[in-house]
Amino acid sequence: MLTLDKIYHAAFVLKDVARKTDLIEAPRLSKDCQLYLKTENLQATGSFKVRGAYYKISQLSKEESDKGVIACSAGNHAQGVALAATRRGIKSIVCMPDGAPIMKVENTKNLGAEVCLVPGTYDDAHDKAVELQEETGMTFIHPYDDEQVIAGQGTIGLEILDQLPDVDAVIVPVGGGGLISGVAFAIKSLKPDVKVYGVQAEGAPSMYRSLHEHKYQTLSAVSTFADGIQVKTPGELTYKLCEEYVDDIVTVTEDETAAAILSLMENQKLVAEGAGAVPVAAALFHKLPIEGKKVVCLVSGGNIDVNILNRVITRGLVMSGRKANLTIALEDKPGQLQQVADIVSRCGSNVVSVLHDGSDPNMPISSCFLKLTLETRDNAQIEQIRQELTKAGFQLVAERV
């Protein structure tokens, strides 16, 4: 049974292993509330997961330790298990989906674990880990549906209350539910009036649906670049804890998450992975009733694959109105491009790419498509440019992509 004593014991065990990460105020991110960031992206291994993994492994018997441990993970739990097992001299095997970011796979290996890549999603990796556990007799370290793992994650709740005693609300990313279960249990046990909200990716809303439909369920498919919360089935234990201690769960889109990653980089000089940025996305896009409140967003991890970071930044720029793609249908004659450039310049925007396309079979031979990529200030400036081009007689085919 999960108790507050277990969470305090976990905090004692972790005091020389897990960092007490900073809680920093982030006034640039929101004008609607007093926003703070709990920077678990700066944790050892770049994620909160080391807390639960280490505490669980620290409580194993000598017999269990001698047999080794096995786990499944999209990457962050893998690194936590690898670090914990290696530091305690225990063999570890981690099953990871083959689409896991290369950085997370390599870091897991470098921390001393044997990695088994499994085709499919996290859930497929879970099934493979269970199979190997039965074959080897190793101890399975569940990433979220385990009381000791949850107790380890709950130490973050203790730290938040210590760092900001008058906090009004805490926003937490949700995959399988281990993190929010521990944080919510700790906070609600000590200060029940504090609101605890969860956030899931719109394409992976397993806990969201389970709680809102009051029925524990498994999704047929999930899709999100936030691989840390790409979970089809929430934990059974975590589902019960969320029902009792979590005030609400909302979802955010991929574009909203990308915009949050970009905002954290620009305004706070912090790199967050998709899962770590969803609480900030929920705050930025007004998904929760937090106006005028002291709010903590738990940035759970910063292990984002550099191969997708450029795409994420581009999506974030588009979502926040900092980049626009315009397609203009115009008559192919001298002076047209100059007129368009003059309008864009007058509106204060910068052209970074121009493509003249006269090959579309649906266009008259004497016409063409002019495709522009613009650096813009915000969505209002994009709308101004659109209106000025229309007023000048130009036909916009697509405003933004």
Side-chain angles (χ1 to χ4, degrees):
M1 178 179 176
L2 182 64
T3 64
L4 196 56
D5 283 346
K6 279 187 180 178
I7 297 176
Y8 274 109
H9 183 250
F12 175 78
V13 170
L14 292 169
K15 63 184 176 65
D16 295 324
V17 178
R19 297 170 184 158
K20 184 176 181 180
T21 52
D22 289 337
L23 185 73
I24 60 175
E25 190 171 1
R28 291 185 177 184
L29 291 182
S30 177
K31 297 179 180 178
D32 299 322
C33 65
Q34 195 170 344
L35 195 67
Y36 295 80
L37 304 174
K38 179 60 171 168
T39 53
E40 284 294 297
N41 57 319
L42 303 180
Q43 185 57 261
T45 73
S47 163
F48 75 97
K49 287 284 192 177
V50 68
R51 295 175 182 261
Y54 192 93
Y55 183 59
K56 171 67 177 179
I57 291 172
S58 74
Q59 301 305 296
L60 296 179
S61 67
K62 184 180 185 306
E63 182 182 359
E64 289 172 325
S65 298
D66 289 343
K67 290 182 179 179
V69 297
I70 190 164
C72 57
S73 171
N76 287 335
H77 180 60
Q79 294 173 74
V81 169
L83 181 147
T86 300
R87 285 189 63 161
R88 300 186 71 86
I90 299 171
K91 179 183 178 181
S92 61
I93 298 175
V94 181
C95 295
M96 303 176 71
D98 59 357
I102 294 173
M103 176 187 66
K104 293 184 179 181
V105 174
E106 291 305 310
N107 286 348
T108 302
K109 292 178 181 178
N110 292 337
L111 286 167
E114 177 185 333
V115 174
C116 174
L117 292 177
V118 182
T121 66
Y122 160 80
D123 297 88
D124 299 302
H126 172 270
D127 293 343
K128 180 64 175 178
V130 170
E131 177 187 324
L132 289 176
Q133 188 275 330
E134 292 173 351
E135 293 176 3
T136 62
M138 302 173 88
T139 299
F140 182 69
I141 309 298
H142 201 285
Y144 49 83
D145 210 28
D146 179 282
E147 284 183 358
Q148 290 171 330
V149 170
I150 293 170
Q153 324 302 26
T155 58
I156 299 172
L158 301 182
E159 291 180 12
I160 289 172
L161 291 180
D162 181 56
Q163 293 166 315
L164 191 68
D166 57 346
V167 61
D168 295 310
V170 179
I171 310 175
V172 185
V174 182
L179 175 60
I180 195 170
S181 294
V183 170
F185 185 91
I187 288 176
K188 293 289 189 178
S189 296
L190 294 169
K191 198 171 181 184
D193 58 322
V194 176
K195 299 292 185 183
V196 179
Y197 300 114
V199 188
Q200 288 202 295
E202 193 176 73
S206 55
M207 188 69 83
Y208 170 84
R209 288 193 186 176
S210 294
L211 290 185
H212 282 259
E213 297 173 17
H214 304 288
K215 179 184 177 183
Y216 178 75
Q217 56 189 283
T218 297
L219 303 181
S220 58
V222 290
S223 177
T224 175
F225 78 87
D227 55 283
I229 53 175
Q230 191 179 33
V231 178
K232 291 181 182 178
T233 307
E236 292 185 42
L237 174 58
T238 60
Y239 168 67
K240 293 175 183 176
L241 289 168
C242 285
E243 270 201 316
E244 185 172 356
Y245 296 104
V246 174
D247 292 284
D248 195 10
I249 290 184
V250 298
T251 63
V252 292
T253 67
E254 299 288 89
D255 283 340
E256 288 166 346
T257 303
I261 291 174
L262 179 64
S263 187
L264 283 166
M265 290 178 65
E266 283 198 310
N267 295 307
Q268 297 301 140
K269 316 310 175 192
L270 290 174
V271 176
E273 60 188 278
V278 295
V280 176
L284 292 181
F285 293 96
H286 313 290
K287 300 297 179 89
L288 292 163
I290 56 175
E291 293 76 10
K293 306 292 185 182
K294 281 192 174 182
V295 181
V296 173
C297 287
L298 205 169
V299 184
S300 60
N303 294 318
I304 189 167
D305 190 339
V306 293
N307 290 318
I308 68 167
L309 186 57
N310 183 54
R311 282 176 282 168
V312 169
I313 292 173
T314 299
R315 292 285 287 272
L317 288 170
V318 172
M319 185 66 188
S320 60
R322 303 279 301 284
K323 182 177 182 179
N325 295 324
L326 302 181
T327 301
I328 306 168
L330 47 72
E331 189 175 351
D332 193 4
K333 63 180 183 181
Q336 294 283 283
L337 178 58
Q338 180 64 51
Q339 290 182 48
V340 171
D342 287 345
I343 291 171
V344 171
S345 176
R346 189 166 65 247
C347 291
S349 179
N350 184 41
V351 179
V352 295
S353 174
V354 179
L355 175 63
H356 179 280
D357 183 6
S359 63
D360 193 301
N362 296 316
M363 291 287 288
I365 291 177
S366 60
S367 299
C368 67
F369 283 127
L370 182 66
K371 299 179 180 180
L372 304 177
T373 300
L374 309 177
E375 289 179 343
T376 48
R377 183 176 57 252
D378 51 29
N379 286 308
Q381 187 181 44
I382 296 171
E383 179 61 20
Q384 178 192 8
I385 295 169
R386 187 193 68 81
Q387 291 180 0
E388 291 295 324
L389 287 170
T390 302
K391 189 187 301 183
F394 293 104
Q395 180 186 351
L396 288 172
V397 176
E399 296 179 18
R400 288 194 299 166
V401 177

